[in-house]
Amino acid sequence: MAFFKVTLIRSGIGMPKRINGILAALGLRKRMRTVYHPVSPDIAGMIMKVKELVAVSEVEHKLTQREQHALRTPPKGYYVEVPASQAGRI
């Protein structure tokens, strides 16, 4: 089953109540929050009404919050960056 991955990029502050109502119905309350909705004409219509405020992609399955967090977490440890002029000496 396919899902829409919807992320609120721009805030709804200053938008008409109708637009803020659509954002609330989609479950988008804060910027950079991501929600998943099954692909349907109803959801597609709601997304089209707020297309300037959101980023949308179609994915095969939902990610849990833990899976999203794991994808965003950088690898443990650190990197030693060396200037290009010293790269051949090491």
Side-chain angles (χ1 to χ4, degrees):
M1 180 177 199
F3 292 91
F4 285 127
K5 177 183 173 184
V6 186
T7 304
L8 183 62
I9 301 298
R10 299 191 61 195
S11 174
I13 295 174
M15 294 289 161
K17 285 185 179 181
R18 184 174 181 181
I19 299 297
N20 285 326
I22 292 170
L23 291 174
L26 286 171
L28 297 169
R29 302 201 185 331
K30 294 183 177 180
R31 285 184 63 235
M32 302 311 293
R33 287 293 169 104
T34 301
V35 295
Y36 293 88
H37 290 287
V39 173
S40 70
D42 298 337
I43 299 296
M46 293 170 74
I47 291 171
M48 286 301 292
K49 293 288 184 184
V50 294
K51 65 183 177 282
E52 299 85 8
L53 306 177
V54 297
V56 182
S57 61
E58 191 173 335
V59 294
E60 286 299 315
H61 64 284
K62 293 191 223 184
L63 294 179
T64 63
Q65 286 186 346
R66 279 201 177 157
E67 291 171 335
Q68 287 182 5
H69 181 71
L71 288 175
R72 293 178 179 161
T73 303
K76 293 185 177 182
Y78 59 91
Y79 295 99
V80 178
E81 294 186 13
V82 180
S85 60
Q86 296 178 358
R89 297 181 197 166
I90 294 178

